[in-house]
Amino acid sequence: MKHYSIKPKVIVAPLSYEVLNEFKLGNHILILVSKTVFETFEFSIIFDKLKRKQNLYIYSHIRPDAPFEDLDKVIDDLNGKHIESIIAIGGGSVIDAAKTLSVAFEGVSYKDVFYNKALMPNKKIKVIAVPTTAGTGAELSFGAIIYDNQNLIKGGLRGEIIQPNGVIIDAKLHNACPPKLKAEVGFDCLTHAIETYISKKTNPLAKIQSISCIENIFKYLTLACKDNDECAMEKIAISSALMGINLAYSSTCLPHRIQYVIGPLTGTSHAQGLIALYKGWLKHLADSRLTELKDLVNDLGMNINQFLKKIQSLKDSLDINYTITDLGIHQNQIDEISKNVTGNVSADPSYRDVGTIKKILTNSL
Ligand SMILES: [Fe+2]
């Protein structure tokens, strides 16, 4: 049986008081908004209207990776307040912070859940996600990646309950995102589409969504990045959200497993690591004539060579053609990195043993 649920309500419209009122927000609302977005856009008209009937608690301090310290600040400040919903306006870290806090405001220690000392609870307060970068899929995924900044451990809370209860896609809000970051995060979206198609955990519904997303990225990502084209941006933002659902019902493959090791090692972003690793992973898939890759390119109406060239020209046009050497990795580190790769590596149909990981890394130098 293949299961795939497309939920919750997703609204594609400019962010406004009226659009927010499509969701029952309650009387005490926490608003988490990314600092750059807060400084770039004028939200006072919306917030002032909300304040007429509701109490708002507005924070714009969440840093990349959603560190515990930033989450605890909100929990401590709002201790005793009966927060009923959270509106998260920002990139993946702001949305993941909101998802984590939605559990914490039901009285559960998010740290216990993070360290597997407690189960994910079966209730939380409502979260409305308004993504301002397109790629992580945090707005619809079943996970929240956060960072224990004291013990330097990055990890996640996972479970269907943590999926936001509503999403508002406003392409204009993506204009505050610098073009290079837009391009890199857009490539992360592409990796979600390719990997959730290739993964052993995939299903026919996820594959259809992947193909549509890959076609959108090929057609519209350069326009969205270079021309700030809002129609193009909207298509990428919708694809990113749908890939959040794909991540929930399928899985990523080896590039994501390996990036979790090279990211902290090199101090580079999730997307930068993936871009570099795609050089080696796609070559490995093509060299091993992987059936799943043949199916993917067939669905796109291409052959493997045309597909590889298309990815290469996309990287060139966006000026993101990185290798792991560019990220600071040397050949003599490959054995050590390969040994440290954990997680469900077998979901990648090209995985045989640690030698596969070494090959991908060597191809990516
Ligand atoms: Fe990713």
Side-chain angles (χ1 to χ4, degrees), residues 135-136 188 191-192 247 252 256 260 270 274:
T136 67
D188 185 25
T191 70
H192 297 155
L247 290 172
T252 51
H256 273 75
Y260 289 133
H270 176 67
L274 289 166

Side-chain angles (χ1 to χ4, degrees), residues 44-313:
S44 57
I45 297 171
I46 301 174
F47 292 170
D48 287 348
K49 277 189 186 173
L50 283 169
K51 276 182 198 163
R52 280 186 216 149
K53 287 186 186 162
Q54 288 138 315
N55 293 309
L56 299 192
Y57 307 91
I58 304 170
Y59 287 85
S60 60
H61 70 298
I62 303 289
R63 288 168 291 175
D65 298 329
F68 281 16
E69 192 185 350
D70 296 1
L71 301 173
D72 288 343
K73 177 180 169 42
V74 182
I75 295 170
D76 293 345
D77 280 6
L78 301 182
N79 185 21
K81 303 263 193 302
H82 181 57
I83 303 295
E84 288 160 272
S85 59
I86 308 175
I87 301 170
I89 309 170
S93 300
V94 170
I95 294 173
D96 283 347
K99 288 158 87 173
T100 306
L101 290 170
S102 73
V103 173
F105 280 115
E106 278 292 355
V108 176
S109 158
Y110 73 86
K111 291 174 191 169
D112 283 353
V113 179
F114 182 86
Y115 282 114
N116 296 319
K117 289 183 196 160
L119 291 174
M120 179 65 90
N122 53 16
K123 55 180 188 168
K124 60 150 189 163
I125 64 166
K126 189 176 278 183
V127 173
I128 308 304
V130 188
T132 60
T133 60
T136 67
E139 58 273 31
L140 282 177
S141 72
F142 292 177
I145 308 296
I146 52 176
Y147 179 54
D148 179 346
N149 54 295
Q150 219 163 37
N151 297 305
L152 312 181
I153 295 172
K154 200 169 163 177
L157 305 192
R158 288 172 214 287
E160 189 166 349
I161 185 76
I162 213 166
Q163 187 189 42
N165 306 79
V167 177
I168 300 167
I169 293 177
D170 177 354
K172 210 179 243 123
L173 296 179
H174 291 252
N175 282 345
C177 181
K180 198 59 166 257
L181 183 61
K182 238 188 218 180
E184 291 176 351
V185 181
F187 198 94
D188 185 25
C189 179
L190 177 68
T191 70
H192 297 155
I194 297 174
E195 290 174 46
T196 56
Y197 184 107
I198 298 275
S199 166
K200 282 186 191 168
K201 290 186 165 180
T202 197
N203 69 55
L205 289 145
K207 282 161 100 172
I208 294 264
Q209 300 283 22
S210 285
I211 294 300
S212 145
C213 173
I214 296 166
E215 287 172 344
N216 271 342
I217 298 269
F218 284 168
K219 267 195 208 160
Y220 299 112
L221 185 59
T222 309
L223 273 176
C225 295
K226 296 220 157 162
D227 302 347
N228 256 346
D229 181 311
E230 259 176 50
C231 292
M233 193 62 242
E234 188 174 284
K235 289 181 168 69
I236 302 289
I238 293 169
S239 289
S240 162
L242 289 171
M243 285 309 100
I245 301 184
N246 263 29
L247 290 172
Y249 291 104
S250 177
S251 80
T252 51
C253 293
L254 284 173
H256 273 75
R257 300 288 80 68
I258 307 172
Q259 191 282 321
Y260 289 133
V261 180
I262 67 169
L265 188 69
T266 57
T268 53
S269 73
H270 176 67
Q272 288 164 344
L274 289 166
I275 293 163
L277 289 163
Y278 259 58
K279 179 173 182 263
W281 184 61
L282 289 178
K283 180 174 175 1
H284 168 65
L285 298 190
D287 289 350
S288 39
R289 299 174 189 279
L290 195 83
T291 314
E292 289 81 355
L293 179 64
K294 284 186 201 156
D295 292 344
L296 176 109
V297 300
N298 196 34
D299 280 351
L300 288 168
M302 295 180 176
N303 61 39
I304 291 179
N305 257 344
Q306 288 169 325
F307 177 68
L308 296 183
K309 274 193 188 152
K310 191 79 193 168
I311 301 266
Q312 189 55 48
S313 73

